[in-house]
Amino acid sequence: MTMQKTVHVSVEAMLEDLRTLVEVESPSRDHAALTASAQVVAGVLENRLGGRAVLIDSEAGPHVHWSGGGEPRVLVLGHHDTVFPLGTLERRPFAVENGHATGPGVFDMLGGLVQAVHGVAALEDRSGVEILVTADEEVGSHSSRALIEERARACGAVLVLEGAAEGGALKTGRKGCGTFQVSITGLASHAGLEPAAGVNALIEAAHQVLDIAALGRPELGTTVTPTVASAGTLDNVVPAEAVVVVDVRVETDGEKDRIEAAFAALAPHLDGAKIEVHGAVGRPPMPESASAELFAVAKKLLPGLEGKAVGGGSDGNFTAALGVPTLDGLGAVGGGAHADHEYLVVDRMPERAALVTGLVTAIRG
């Protein structure tokens, strides 16, 4: 089975919508900017699909929900927040040149949103389709997780429009990921007069960094990477405080449990030092079994399509953990996520929109 029938989508119309979304900056945690962005997203949904897009407010900013009515059958999932601060657009405006669209958020993941909207718009019957566009995916989805899980359970299948893997491959598995913060309290003293009277939080932090890094098990897909550290106040003061931030990625629930237990068990090396740990593996692993059924359908629709397990997390991790069939990486073909060289390959947009059309049709059928 290939695409059952030709799906007609307009590249010009998709680029028009992409420009509209990119030119409303939407940095995570900026409630005012995300409110403006959500209103524009809702406008694009209503313009292309009809009906009404509902804004669901949260402490992170508004999420946008659209439904084609009828019994829920498939959830199309994305986000409108980006990692780029206000002002990025002025420095790096939306542009289309040499077959690439560029600008903040084109690949992660505004291009995917546009493709999804136009893929659903190509359906004569849009019943059973829901689109949820959240406001906080880039910062952990704390305010949207319950809503995502509710709609995923109701729909029974999830299509995630995050950017494609290299070469346009779908993301058939994802590692679980989380962030831990290790706060160390020591005791300040004069570094020249009484260094031994203090408890050096920086030295304790050095011990902890080595202990933490040793928790990784790359052969099992587990990476534990200290990423940010801070300590001290002045060059002649024994530091009384230090903080270490750690990125964690795991492939299995067993490794998630091991890592969380290991962080909880961290103990100081220096007498008088105290350690406090915050964090968890917030996004559970997305096993490839969660995508197998939908990926098989996608390969029939688009012969030659590849799948790849990747290290980054998405909201698909949450839906897969519920046991809901989930297929990720259906969004833009391009690269440079979170970087200034971010880009989208324009001539792949119709193919990806048509893939959404075909998947929705197959799921409902």
Side-chain angles (χ1 to χ4, degrees):
M1 178 176 67
T2 56
M3 296 288 187
Q4 291 102 326
K5 63 178 183 178
T6 302
V7 176
H8 296 287
V9 292
S10 164
V11 174
E12 291 74 20
M14 284 195 285
L15 289 175
E16 176 187 336
D17 287 345
L18 183 58
R19 175 187 290 274
T20 297
L21 295 182
V22 170
E23 292 185 344
V24 181
E25 293 183 285
S26 54
S28 304
R29 297 194 174 102
D30 187 325
H31 200 287
L34 288 165
T35 297
S37 172
Q39 291 168 345
V40 172
V41 170
V44 169
L45 288 167
E46 292 175 352
N47 182 47
R48 299 298 180 186
L49 302 175
R52 179 169 175 260
V54 178
L55 269 58
I56 303 170
D57 202 13
S58 78
E59 60 184 14
H63 314 307
V64 186
H65 182 248
W66 177 90
S67 172
E71 179 187 355
R73 299 293 300 278
V74 56
L75 176 66
V76 176
L77 184 58
H79 63 90
H80 66 102
D81 64 318
T82 72
V83 301
F84 301 104
L86 293 178
T88 303
L89 184 68
E90 183 177 359
R91 177 172 57 84
R92 194 158 55 86
F94 179 79
V96 180
E97 188 175 346
N98 298 323
H100 287 179
T102 55
V106 289
F107 178 66
D108 187 10
M109 61 162 286
L110 302 176
L113 289 183
V114 169
Q115 291 166 186
V117 170
H118 285 256
V120 173
L123 296 164
E124 294 180 8
D125 175 13
R126 298 164 193 164
S127 63
V129 182
E130 295 190 15
I131 299 176
L132 177 60
V133 187
T134 64
D136 63 345
E137 191 275 343
E138 296 290 7
V139 290
S141 305
H142 300 295
S143 75
S144 58
R145 179 174 180 173
L147 177 62
I148 291 166
E149 292 176 339
E150 172 197 315
R151 297 323 307 157
R153 286 191 181 99
C155 292
V158 180
L159 305 178
V160 184
L161 271 295
E162 292 282 359
E166 185 177 355
L170 300 189
K171 295 174 179 177
T172 52
R174 285 185 178 272
K175 290 185 179 183
C177 50
T179 302
F180 291 82
Q181 178 174 297
V182 180
S183 300
I184 299 156
T185 302
L187 179 66
S189 66
H190 194 293
L193 297 176
E194 295 184 302
V199 178
N200 195 315
L202 178 53
I203 292 177
E204 181 61 54
H207 284 294
Q208 294 300 322
V209 165
L210 295 177
D211 290 348
I212 289 165
L215 297 174
R217 290 185 179 172
E219 72 278 7
L220 298 179
T222 300
T223 59
V224 180
T225 309
T227 54
V228 179
S230 61
T233 53
L234 294 171
D235 58 3
N236 63 351
V237 178
V238 171
E241 295 182 347
V243 175
V244 177
V245 180
V246 187
D247 177 274
V248 171
R249 311 280 163 150
V250 298
E251 287 187 0
T252 66
D253 287 330
E255 280 294 275
K256 171 184 181 294
D257 294 343
R258 181 183 71 83
I259 290 294
E260 290 178 341
F263 270 92
L266 288 175
H269 288 251
L270 303 182
D271 290 341
K274 297 178 181 178
I275 294 176
E276 189 173 354
V277 177
H278 295 282
V281 179
R283 294 186 192 273
M286 174 182 165
E288 292 191 78
S289 58
S291 66
E293 181 181 355
L294 292 177
F295 182 54
V297 175
K299 286 195 295 183
K300 291 178 181 178
L301 291 166
L302 193 58
L305 190 64
E306 295 183 350
K308 185 176 296 185
V310 298
S314 81
D315 288 335
N317 291 59
F318 298 134
T319 63
L322 299 174
V324 177
T326 300
L327 188 57
D328 203 342
L330 287 160
V333 177
H338 298 189
D340 279 355
H341 65 278
E342 181 183 24
Y343 70 96
L344 172 155
V345 180
V346 173
D347 66 7
R348 300 291 294 275
M349 294 182 77
E351 168 190 283
R352 305 297 277 203
L355 182 58
V356 172
T357 308
L359 282 165
V360 171
T361 300
I363 292 167
R364 293 186 310 180

